[in-house]
């Protein structure tokens, strides 16, 4: 999958997932552009994927997440007019996929299902988002989800039972898992495959027993994944960087925050660089603009460390080969050097976060 993203689902299950997504030829074409264009520094006429931040606010305070230390002033909800402008141009330019999430929880945006439906009506082939699921209402949101045309959704669920409860407070594991069971049952009742449901966890939360995590979720969801722990929850990240790393993002995607600002990548959490604003320029102009060209040049010539958001990027950190035991077999993975996981320390860290002014389980869904 990705350099730090792996699946517990066996190969056959992964193939079934791919086929259920549909648009197989378009998927293949999209993945060729996604992987090959950056390798040859080829700039597509338009990005194949757009990350759209439907909400940058979040009601949880997960210790590994940057959201817990993001200033309140940069948290909010995307307006419908900004969203519509992005989707209209994306549709006209033939964008393959959009993801309606970045730093926050999409279900805090009261128009999230309208946003999905609008994108599908504008013939965006692959529409998805990541969610913590804590705000998902049963059965209301499940019915709206299926009606919207959402292609897939990924739920973040770090570990099982008490491990989950410590990391994902105030969400409760039993309540959360019952929602996904209800979603599975509703899909079966209606005889539909979509939205495909993916579950993912940080590695440190399942390292001691990945089989238990897979065995719990495999009957409920379509795919079970995990990600190597990343140091996102400190503004200044003290870990070794890979001087030879060339980030593919400037050739793959464009990120639009909830205010309409274009960001260089999904790791510019603290809004250090603005590539343009969709309310003032077209996405095409931003994609081919001076800011993106400069970023691509710095990446291509291995000068990315000149940009602070690149110099502190977790994805640019040194990696090492590692392995975990899955179903009796040693599975090779890659982990970051010096980017410690929170799975074992979550109770201490999240208590500290919940006692701070950053934690607000009743955060509003007010649109800007």
């Amino acid at each position: 999958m990705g350099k730090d993203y792996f699946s517990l689902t066996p190969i056959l299950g992964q193939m079934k997932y791919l086929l259920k997504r549909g648009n197989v030829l378009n998927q293949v074409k999209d993945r060729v552009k996604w992987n090959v264009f950056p390798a040859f520094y080829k700039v597509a006429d338009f990005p194949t994927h757009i990350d759209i931040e439907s909400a940058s606010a979040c009601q949880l305070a997960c210790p590994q997440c940057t959201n817990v230390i993001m200033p309140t002033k940069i948290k909010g909800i995307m307006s419908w007019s900004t969203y519509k402008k992005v989707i209209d141009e994306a549709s006209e330019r033939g964008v393959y996929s959009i993801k309606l999430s970045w730093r926050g929880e999409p279900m805090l945006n009261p128009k999230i299902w309208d946003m999905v439906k609008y994108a599908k009506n504008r013939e965006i082939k692959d529409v998805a988002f990541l969610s913590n699921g804590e705000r998902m209402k049963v059965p209301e949101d499940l019915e709206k989800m299926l009606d919207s045309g959402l292609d897939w959704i990924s739920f973040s669920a770090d570990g099982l039972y008490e491990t989950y409860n410590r990391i994902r407070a105030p969400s409760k594991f039993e309540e959360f898992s019952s929602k996904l069971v209800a979603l599975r049952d509703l899909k079966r009742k209606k005889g539909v495959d979509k939205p495909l449901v993916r579950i993912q966890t940080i590695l440190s939360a399942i390292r001691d027993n990945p089989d238990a995590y897979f065995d719990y979720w495999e009957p409920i969801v379509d795919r079970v994944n995990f990600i190597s722990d990343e140091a996102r929850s400190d503004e200044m990240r003290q870990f070794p960087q890979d001087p030879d790393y060339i980030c593919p993002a400037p050739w793959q995607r464009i990120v639009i925050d909830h205010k309409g600002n274009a960001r260089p990548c999904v790791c510019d959490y603290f809004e250090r660089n603005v590539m343009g604003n969709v309310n003032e320029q077209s996405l095409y102009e931003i994609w081919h603009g001076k800011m993106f060209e400069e970023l691509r040049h710095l990446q291509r010539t291995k000068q990315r460390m000149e940009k602070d958001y690149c110099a502190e990027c977790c994805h640019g950190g040194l990696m090492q080969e590692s392995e975990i035991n899955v179903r009796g077999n040693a599975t090779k993975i890659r982990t970051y050097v010096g980017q410690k996981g929170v799975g074992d320390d979550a109770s201490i860290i999240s208590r500290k976060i919940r006692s701070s002014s950053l934690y607000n389980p009743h955060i509003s869904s007010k649109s800007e």
Side-chain angles (χ1 to χ4, degrees), residues 214-280:
F214 175 77
D215 291 343
Y216 184 92
W217 287 114
E218 191 273 337
I220 301 172
V221 302
D222 297 289
R223 192 165 184 169
V224 183
N225 295 342
F226 67 92
I227 187 169
S228 295
D229 291 76
E230 301 171 350
R232 298 182 186 179
S233 59
D234 293 308
E235 190 166 353
M236 296 302 294
R237 305 176 179 102
Q238 303 299 321
F239 52 81
Q241 286 282 339
D242 180 356
D244 295 320
Y245 177 67
I246 297 176
C247 179
W251 291 273
Q252 292 173 329
R253 70 209 299 177
I254 192 166
V255 180
I256 307 300
D257 72 18
H258 74 279
K259 296 178 182 177
N261 294 310
R263 300 295 173 183
C265 69
V266 294
C267 290
D268 187 17
Y269 302 110
F270 297 100
E271 304 185 354
R272 292 192 171 108
N273 205 28
V274 181
M275 316 301 275
N277 187 286
V278 298
N279 296 304
E280 301 168 0

Side-chain angles (χ1 to χ4, degrees), residues 162-173:
E162 287 307 311
T163 298
Y164 173 96
N165 291 344
R166 289 195 301 267
I167 297 175
R168 292 265 154 193
S171 186
K172 297 297 182 183
F173 182 76

Side-chain angles (χ1 to χ4, degrees), residues 41-215:
Y41 310 126
K42 178 176 174 56
V43 182
D45 186 59
F46 203 73
T48 185
H49 174 81
I50 303 177
D51 295 280
I52 303 171
E53 187 176 55
S54 54
S56 61
C58 186
Q59 78 281 18
L60 302 188
C62 306
Q64 74 273 24
C65 184
T66 313
N67 198 282
V68 298
I69 57 172
M70 280 169 46
T72 303
K73 66 181 180 181
I74 66 174
K75 296 184 179 183
I77 304 296
M78 179 173 279
S79 70
W80 181 258
S81 60
T82 296
Y83 176 72
K84 185 175 181 298
K85 189 175 190 303
V86 173
I87 293 299
D88 288 347
E89 185 176 356
S91 174
E92 292 165 5
R93 296 281 182 178
V95 162
Y96 175 74
S97 63
I98 64 166
K99 190 181 294 177
L100 296 173
S101 52
W102 178 23
R103 300 171 295 182
E105 169 51 50
M107 291 194 202
L108 287 176
N109 190 318
K111 290 187 175 291
I112 188 60
W113 305 123
D114 293 330
M115 296 170 89
V116 174
K117 187 175 290 188
Y118 186 77
K120 294 306 296 182
N121 288 340
R122 289 306 310 260
E123 299 184 347
I124 304 295
K125 292 181 174 61
D126 195 68
V127 179
F129 65 81
L130 278 60
S131 173
N132 58 50
E134 195 263 345
R135 285 295 175 93
M136 188 166 66
K137 296 180 178 64
V138 177
E140 300 96 308
D141 280 318
L142 306 189
E143 293 282 358
K144 291 176 182 177
M145 185 187 300
L146 269 62
D147 181 61
S148 70
L150 188 70
D151 290 289
W152 59 271
I153 185 168
S154 181
F155 291 102
S156 298
D158 301 309
L160 301 172
Y161 306 111
E162 287 307 311
T163 298
Y164 173 96
N165 291 344
R166 289 195 301 267
I167 297 175
R168 292 265 154 193
S171 186
K172 297 297 182 183
F173 182 76
E174 289 78 7
E175 181 180 350
F176 167 75
S177 62
S178 70
K179 293 178 181 180
L180 269 60
V181 169
L183 176 55
R184 179 202 63 187
D185 292 346
L186 183 62
K187 287 168 58 181
R188 287 178 176 177
K189 179 181 177 181
K190 292 181 176 288
V192 298
D193 288 328
K194 292 186 176 181
L196 296 174
V197 179
R198 191 174 79 183
I199 199 87
Q200 68 180 40
T201 176
I202 52 174
L203 172 61
S204 64
I206 64 163
R207 190 194 305 272
D208 293 339
N209 195 350
D211 287 349
Y213 190 82
F214 175 77
D215 291 343

Side-chain angles (χ1 to χ4, degrees), residues 28-48:
V28 172
K29 180 180 177 182
D30 173 69
R31 289 300 92 180
V32 168
K33 291 175 67 176
W34 181 267
N35 292 303
V36 175
F37 279 28
F40 292 94
Y41 310 126
K42 178 176 174 56
V43 182
D45 186 59
F46 203 73
T48 185

